[in-house]
Amino acid sequence: MSENTKVVENATCTFCGCVCDDMNLTVDLDAHKIIKAQNACVLGRAWFTEHVAEKRPFALIDGKEASTEEGIEAAAQILANAKFPITYGLSDTTCEAQRQAVAITDMIGGNLDTTTSVCHGPSGIAFQGTGESTASLGEIKNRADLIVFWGGNPAESHPRLFTRYALMPKGLRIPNGKKDRYAVLVDVRRTPSAPVADKFIQVKPGTDFEVLWALRALVKGRRVDPKLEEKTGVKIADLEDLAQRMKSCRFGALLFGMGLTMTRGRHFNSGALLALASDLNEFTHFVAKPVRGHGNVTGADNVVSWQTGFPFGINFGRGYPRFNPGEFTTVDLLSRGEADAALIIASDPASNFPKPAVEHLKSIPVIVLDTKESVTTRIAKVAFATATYGINVPGTVYRMDDVAIALRPALESPYPSDEEVLTAIKNRVRELLAASGRAGNPAAQKVA
Ligand code: SF4
């Protein structure tokens, strides 16, 4: 370690939706590297200390090295001339960049979707139907004496959800931390999170909805069919005990993950859990929050919602936003062979989408902005190398509880930010549309 170091205090980790903003980063200025990330969990430590800017060309067009400016021109030409362009990704970049992506898509009458459609999209649908009894993670830390984790494994996916926010920390009304809380974990298998809970309830795969509906009945004092035990694998006595604890706690929180939202039942599962939280407010204070994965997926929901009225799966083809998951969600749309150009921001759909969707993606011009090489950058017509948010780039992100947090970058990058590239593409698309007599969506131009 050189003596030429600096410390960036209260930096923000964007590796997962916890968005911990108490990182103290030690930077080796000679090596241009973060060498210590105090307060980070094992995942956050790796995110910061293993960050090495890949030496890549600023842009690749058809696999050939190009400048960022040449990439912008090529990308703008593709988007301005496409009949059915799509924008996808957005959960690992700043709100400022997300805003530009929405403006571009609106201007060209394209389709806008984020990774929410493949994680908590069902919750987004359920919120609209059922509503949300919500709280910040700070309120949960300070007040919650009963926490129910449903369909997730925070010990491995969000380590500081336990230690900083929801289980161990001492709070205003929880002076003894974990000792003052009762924690329940509901999941289809015993994960490393199970030993941390006071009670583990194992449900048979695909039966979360039935268990949640039975809890709703028990909370309301109704009887439950004993056959439920065989179907779900959960003892009625355990559910009666949980229902009683839920009704008698001072402040309860249901924190739910993709084990609930992306299994059989999907938005019905999320809706049942949200309805259970609402029911419980007849007896005590109860909230429900989705546990979000990507660092700024919550920001994507917020930015897209405040600009279009909907969180994901939106189409501007008629000049105004229409929301229709299943029709306008990217996996479905690509699998049907629709879209003639794609703008992908900070995401790698070619590595994890179903085969028909990837095959179609390979057949259309793809523009990608990413901090690293990926399967999608390798199939792209235009691939931009961009700087990493939170490490190189300032801006705003939203924690999973919808609290906005400012980023404090520690290292400079030779590469532009996603926001800079997208703003330049937007300006050039606007010029091209005007020159061709297609002014684009006038409302979008005003917002942009
Ligand atoms: S819990 Fe998530 S945001 Fe917090 S330090 Fe770990 S990886 Fe980073």
Side-chain angles (χ1 to χ4, degrees):
M1 176 173 126
S2 78
E3 288 179 2
N4 194 11
T5 59
K6 72 168 179 181
V7 175
V8 179
E9 289 184 347
N10 298 321
T12 300
C13 176
T14 53
F15 186 77
C16 84
C18 284
V19 188
C20 300
D21 57 350
D22 59 345
M23 305 284 112
N24 292 330
L25 306 177
T26 306
V27 181
D28 184 330
L29 295 168
D30 294 328
H32 200 64
K33 210 174 166 339
I34 297 165
I35 50 174
K36 193 169 161 203
Q38 192 191 355
N39 295 336
C41 71
V42 61
L43 302 175
R45 235 179 352 259
W47 165 249
F48 285 114
T49 59
E50 292 173 19
H51 171 80
V52 187
E54 285 180 17
K55 286 204 171 48
R56 292 165 60 201
F58 283 90
L60 288 171
I61 303 175
D62 287 323
K64 294 199 185 76
E65 210 168 304
S67 65
T68 303
E69 291 69 29
E70 289 166 327
I72 287 162
E73 180 62 27
Q77 292 284 355
I78 292 167
L79 294 172
N81 290 308
K83 289 198 171 61
F84 190 171
I86 61 169
T87 300
Y88 177 76
L90 293 171
S91 54
D92 270 321
T93 191
T94 60
C95 292
E96 289 78 1
Q98 292 163 350
R99 181 169 175 260
Q100 297 302 330
V102 178
I104 293 170
T105 319
D106 194 352
M107 203 183 284
I108 57 180
N111 197 89
L112 177 67
D113 190 29
T114 75
T115 61
T116 285
S117 67
V118 292
C119 61
H120 270 283
S123 308
I125 297 169
F127 289 143
Q128 296 185 2
T130 316
E132 184 185 16
S133 171
T134 187
S136 72
L137 289 176
E139 286 174 279
I140 290 171
K141 171 190 159 183
N142 281 310
R143 298 181 186 282
D145 56 343
L146 173 65
I147 314 257
V148 182
F149 299 97
W150 201 301
N153 176 15
E156 291 188 309
S157 61
H158 300 72
R160 293 188 85 214
L161 188 62
F162 281 165
T163 56
R164 186 171 191 228
Y165 300 109
L167 194 64
M168 312 297 187
K170 295 178 179 167
L172 190 66
R173 305 280 170 194
I174 309 289
N176 303 306
K178 172 73 183 74
K179 282 191 202 133
D180 289 340
R181 289 192 173 93
Y182 190 81
V184 180
L185 182 82
V186 184
D187 209 345
V188 294
R189 66 190 171 92
R190 193 171 271 279
T191 65
S193 296
V196 187
D198 298 290
K199 175 80 182 169
F200 173 62
I201 296 178
Q202 187 160 4
V203 298
K204 284 187 186 168
T207 63
D208 296 88
F209 179 84
E210 286 82 350
V211 175
L212 284 162
W213 220 251
L215 276 170
R216 289 193 70 195
L218 291 169
V219 161
K220 291 181 177 180
R222 309 250 165 83
R223 280 185 54 251
V224 168
D225 186 343
K227 286 193 204 123
L228 188 89
E229 285 196 0
E230 196 189 325
K231 176 152 180 64
T232 64
V234 182
K235 290 196 182 85
I236 304 276
D238 285 347
L239 293 182
E240 285 170 344
D241 178 64
L242 179 55
Q244 200 44 47
R245 284 181 186 278
M246 286 173 145
K247 284 165 74 171
S248 57
C249 72
R250 281 199 322 266
F251 184 125
L254 279 154
L255 300 175
F256 58 106
M258 282 169 60
L260 184 74
T261 64
M262 294 312 274
T263 52
R264 180 179 159 268
R266 296 196 179 208
H267 59 281
F268 289 106
N269 294 345
S270 304
L273 183 137
L274 295 173
L276 174 61
S278 297
D279 295 344
L280 285 160
N281 279 283
E282 295 277 322
F283 306 93
T284 183
H285 189 74
F286 227 96
V287 300
K289 289 300 297 174
V291 176
R292 307 305 304 272
H294 293 281
N296 199 24
V297 68
T298 308
D301 289 358
N302 275 278
V303 171
V304 173
S305 294
W306 89 52
Q307 294 209 12
T308 73
F310 308 107
F312 66 97
I314 299 140
N315 190 280
F316 291 103
R318 291 189 186 162
Y320 56 88
R322 286 180 298 152
F323 172 62
N324 198 7
E327 184 179 9
F328 302 138
T329 33
T330 308
V331 168
D332 305 281
L333 190 150
L334 287 174
S335 298
R336 290 193 302 266
E338 296 171 359
D340 62 352
L343 172 62
I344 311 287
I345 299 123
S347 185
D348 188 14
S351 73
N352 53 49
F353 272 15
K355 196 158 179 267
V358 176
E359 286 308 313
H360 187 64
L361 204 55
K362 284 181 182 166
S363 72
I364 61 175
V366 175
I367 301 151
V368 189
L369 282 69
D370 209 329
T371 57
K372 56 196 178 315
E373 207 182 303
S374 69
V375 180
T376 308
T377 63
R378 286 196 279 277
I379 65 161
K381 173 109 180 140
V382 184
F384 293 95
T386 52
T388 305
Y389 78 137
I391 292 181
N392 310 124
V393 177
T396 313
V397 296
Y398 277 68
R399 204 166 62 188
M400 66 169 84
D401 55 351
D402 297 288
V403 170
I405 290 174
L407 301 177
R408 289 198 171 87
L411 293 172
E412 286 187 359
S413 166
Y415 299 110
S417 66
D418 292 332
E419 183 194 4
E420 287 168 326
V421 173
L422 290 168
T423 305
I425 293 175
K426 179 192 75 180
N427 291 338
R428 184 63 184 133
V429 166
R430 181 191 283 136
E431 285 173 4
L432 291 170
L433 290 176
S436 68
R438 293 185 303 132
N441 182 349
Q445 302 222 20
K446 220 182 273 172
V447 171

